[in-house]
Amino acid sequence: MGLDPFFWFMDLAGVFVFGISGAIAAERKAMDVYGSFTLAIVTALGGGMIRDVLLGRTPAAAFGDPLYLGIASLGGLSALVFSGQLSRLHFSLRYMDALGLGIFTVLGTTISLDQGISLPGAILLGILSGTGGGMLRDVLSQEVPLVLQKEIYAVAALVGAGLNGGLLALGVSVNVSAGVGAGVIFLLRILSLRFDWHLPRAGK
Amino acid sequence: MGLDPFFWFMDLAGVFVFGISGAIAAERKAMDVYGSFTLAIVTALGGGMIRDVLLGRTPAAAFGDPLYLGIASLGGLSALVFSGQLSRLHFSLRYMDALGLGIFTVLGTTISLDQGISLPGAILLGILSGTGGGMLRDVLSQEVPLVLQKEIYAVAALVGAGLNGGLLALGVSVNVSAGVGAGVIFLLRILSLRFDWHLPRAGK
Amino acid sequence: MGLDPFFWFMDLAGVFVFGISGAIAAERKAMDVYGSFTLAIVTALGGGMIRDVLLGRTPAAAFGDPLYLGIASLGGLSALVFSGQLSRLHFSLRYMDALGLGIFTVLGTTISLDQGISLPGAILLGILSGTGGGMLRDVLSQEVPLVLQKEIYAVAALVGAGLNGGLLALGVSVNVSAGVGAGVIFLLRILSLRFDWHLPRAGK
């Protein structure tokens, strides 16, 4: 893959925050320490595995480099150690999820474009890899997936992925367009939570 | 792949009806417009992605051709626009699901045979790609998957996939055998719903 | 793949016991006969498919050799025929699950090492293929996945996979290390059920 270390760093950052979000979700369900690590790892590595499998980049990156597993575990561990502080942050799970969503969406889009996928396909794959880890987390812990709840979620991923792709097409550097895309996704999610932005319901 | 445009058209038709079924499921759960689109797209493209990934046909077809995403969205949009009419059709979700099941089962079986998979393996893969999108839809919207409920479902897919494979082995043309297989699956599902056909329960 | 017939036999044994566990889970939910077979097959073949897809060994083994499908169905059939006897074994589902967990974890680890994956990656992939089929079973039948419940589960898989990898690194033959690893996983699970071993909860 022709992408530079910035993306490898972003991938690990996404793994870390999704790892935290998985462990927080486990704690809310009163799971044991190992259930927390399991959910942390599945959440952290799930989106990237979905991305790599759908693109045919196998074996998936998470198996090639032990750092992925280490960082996912570190995320889970951090959530356990700082669980008191995190629970005072009321929206902690959703903040971490918003960060991970931004990072993995942009990463999935950029890697797909790098592999010659068309822009709409790359945006779709970005959204799937951004939302995939969180969906696995929510399904395994028997919650309605965040992606299907009322505040804007996939639409944030769509806007960020489109922005990322559009800036690239305009000649903006790949690091800047990725950073802008991920930042916009994070902001849209946070704002939608704070101001209760949501789209109209179907059938109304 | 050596299959002709008829199968490409069938694939898109399956994507369209599964897209409708996803949006109907979302509406029943009072999801917002974007949740509806998300569920429409996951349902519509999930079965084909499972098929392509299990066969190693990556990147999955849905990423190569933007039409897939467009047609899935169109299915979701149709369900939103015509939701009044659809809700008067009492079984609308199950009708759309039955159509998609027929199409994707036959398509999965035929593509697998075309790639040199043995007949039992091709039938299994057909059933998985036919039922995969609907399973994702039901799991994400926290319903018991249709495939596991009492009316015949996977058995309909099995009969249709077997018929498709058997007719091919008898020298019937690939388009005819696919059409017959998909039609039989659709009919078996509809009849099982109308007449409440079901298999005996386990352990009785 | 350079592994000998012993592993092919283990794979089929794992498919058989996970097939039984899937049919038992279906029976508990009062599903019909075909729902039982469907859940048996998904449980039995799911872990191996996840393994093969993540490693890029496609088409997945389950589609190449009709025996997999036959053995999975035989497992489902056995559970239906002997359901009276099995229900007298109070922990039958969890015993079968423990056996399958041991076999598929060790198999996933060994195949991954054989394909040049690093030890931590191979252990992770072993755990995912060991737990994957059971997770699918539990999610589809709307139960909290066993892997996330309080008795040790993934930690048993981790210990067995690590033991398997460690013994291989010490020069022990691949069949012995696999047998020891699978046996330890099975024993740890059974003991944790019998003596209610569990790890501390998060946040306590």
Side-chain angles (χ1 to χ4, degrees):
Chain A
M1 152 181 157
L3 297 171
D4 73 13
F6 175 69
F7 285 89
W8 177 77
F9 176 77
M10 271 186 90
D11 206 0
L12 291 177
V15 163
F16 182 71
V17 295
F18 265 141
I20 294 178
S21 86
I24 294 174
E27 193 181 338
R28 293 193 178 170
K29 293 279 171 172
M31 293 176 190
D32 70 22
V33 170
Y34 212 85
S36 302
F37 272 102
T38 306
L39 205 55
I41 289 168
V42 169
T43 309
L45 304 182
M49 285 184 193
I50 291 172
R51 176 194 69 212
D52 292 344
V53 161
L54 287 172
L55 283 171
R57 298 167 81 226
T58 49
F63 302 112
D65 185 344
L67 248 179
Y68 284 91
L69 184 53
I71 298 283
S73 306
L74 195 66
L77 186 66
S78 308
L80 293 174
V81 171
F82 299 107
S83 76
Q85 287 83 329
L86 280 172
S87 67
R88 249 169 284 140
L89 300 168
H90 192 56
F91 283 131
S92 52
L93 188 150
R94 293 179 176 210
Y95 276 121
M96 291 300 139
D97 186 86
L99 257 180
L101 177 71
I103 291 171
F104 274 117
T105 301
V106 161
L107 212 58
T109 305
T110 307
I111 294 176
S112 300
L113 289 171
D114 190 58
Q115 301 224 327
I117 305 286
S118 69
L119 184 59
I123 289 176
L124 175 62
L125 206 140
I127 296 175
L128 286 179
S129 52
T131 59
M135 274 198 225
L136 286 174
R137 178 196 63 217
D138 297 338
V139 165
L140 287 174
S141 60
Q142 299 201 307
E143 293 286 332
V144 178
L146 279 183
V147 67
L148 299 175
Q149 286 180 7
K150 70 182 169 108
E151 304 93 359
I152 64 169
Y153 191 96
V155 84
L158 175 65
V159 170
L163 203 58
N164 180 27
L167 289 174
L168 278 174
L170 292 173
V172 174
S173 88
V174 66
N175 293 0
V176 171
S177 60
V180 169
V184 165
I185 293 171
F186 178 72
L187 273 177
L188 281 176
R189 270 298 286 162
I190 296 308
L191 292 173
S192 88
L193 287 170
R194 181 150 305 235
F195 298 109
D196 196 25
W197 287 350
H198 54 271
L199 294 166
R201 283 189 183 176
K204 301 280 155 171
Chain B
M1 155 181 157
L3 297 170
D4 73 14
F6 176 68
F7 285 88
W8 178 76
F9 176 77
M10 272 185 87
D11 207 0
L12 291 177
V15 163
F16 182 70
V17 294
F18 265 140
I20 294 177
S21 87
I24 294 174
E27 193 182 336
R28 292 192 178 169
K29 294 278 170 173
M31 292 176 190
D32 69 22
V33 169
Y34 211 86
S36 301
F37 273 102
T38 306
L39 206 55
I41 289 168
V42 169
T43 309
L45 304 183
M49 284 185 193
I50 292 172
R51 176 194 69 211
D52 292 344
V53 160
L54 288 172
L55 283 171
R57 298 166 81 228
T58 49
F63 302 112
D65 185 345
L67 248 179
Y68 284 91
L69 185 52
I71 298 283
S73 306
L74 195 66
L77 185 67
S78 308
L80 292 174
V81 171
F82 299 108
S83 76
Q85 288 84 329
L86 280 171
S87 67
R88 248 169 283 140
L89 300 168
H90 192 56
F91 282 133
S92 52
L93 187 150
R94 294 181 175 208
Y95 276 120
M96 291 300 139
D97 186 86
L99 256 180
L101 177 71
I103 291 170
F104 274 117
T105 302
V106 161
L107 212 59
T109 305
T110 306
I111 295 176
S112 300
L113 289 172
D114 189 60
Q115 301 225 328
I117 305 286
S118 69
L119 184 59
I123 289 175
L124 175 62
L125 206 140
I127 295 175
L128 287 179
S129 51
T131 58
M135 274 197 224
L136 286 174
R137 178 195 63 217
D138 297 338
V139 166
L140 287 174
S141 59
Q142 298 200 308
E143 292 286 332
V144 178
L146 279 183
V147 67
L148 299 174
Q149 286 181 7
K150 69 181 168 109
E151 304 94 0
I152 64 170
Y153 191 97
V155 83
L158 175 64
V159 169
L163 203 58
N164 181 26
L167 288 174
L168 278 174
L170 292 173
V172 174
S173 89
V174 67
N175 293 1
V176 170
S177 60
V180 169
V184 165
I185 293 170
F186 177 71
L187 274 176
L188 281 176
R189 270 299 286 163
I190 295 308
L191 292 172
S192 87
L193 288 170
R194 182 150 303 236
F195 298 108
D196 196 24
W197 287 350
H198 54 270
L199 294 166
R201 284 190 181 173
K204 302 279 156 171
Chain C
M1 152 180 158
L3 297 170
D4 72 14
F6 175 69
F7 286 88
W8 178 77
F9 176 76
M10 273 186 88
D11 206 0
L12 291 177
V15 163
F16 183 70
V17 295
F18 265 140
I20 294 177
S21 86
I24 293 174
E27 194 181 337
R28 293 192 178 170
K29 293 278 172 174
M31 292 176 190
D32 69 21
V33 170
Y34 211 84
S36 301
F37 272 102
T38 306
L39 206 54
I41 289 168
V42 169
T43 310
L45 304 183
M49 284 184 193
I50 291 172
R51 176 194 68 212
D52 292 345
V53 161
L54 288 172
L55 282 171
R57 298 166 81 228
T58 48
F63 302 112
D65 185 344
L67 247 180
Y68 284 92
L69 184 53
I71 297 284
S73 306
L74 195 65
L77 186 67
S78 307
L80 292 174
V81 170
F82 299 108
S83 77
Q85 287 85 329
L86 280 172
S87 67
R88 250 170 283 140
L89 300 167
H90 192 56
F91 282 131
S92 51
L93 188 151
R94 293 181 175 209
Y95 276 121
M96 291 299 139
D97 186 86
L99 256 180
L101 178 70
I103 291 171
F104 274 117
T105 302
V106 162
L107 212 59
T109 306
T110 307
I111 294 176
S112 301
L113 289 171
D114 189 59
Q115 301 225 327
I117 305 286
S118 70
L119 184 60
I123 289 176
L124 175 62
L125 205 140
I127 296 175
L128 286 179
S129 52
T131 59
M135 273 198 226
L136 286 174
R137 177 195 63 216
D138 298 338
V139 165
L140 287 174
S141 60
Q142 298 201 308
E143 293 286 332
V144 178
L146 279 183
V147 68
L148 299 174
Q149 286 181 6
K150 69 180 170 110
E151 304 94 358
I152 64 170
Y153 191 96
V155 84
L158 175 64
V159 170
L163 204 58
N164 180 28
L167 288 174
L168 278 175
L170 291 173
V172 174
S173 89
V174 65
N175 293 0
V176 170
S177 60
V180 169
V184 165
I185 293 170
F186 178 72
L187 274 177
L188 281 175
R189 269 299 285 162
I190 296 307
L191 292 172
S192 88
L193 288 171
R194 182 151 305 235
F195 298 108
D196 197 25
W197 286 351
H198 55 269
L199 294 165
R201 284 189 182 176
K204 301 280 157 172

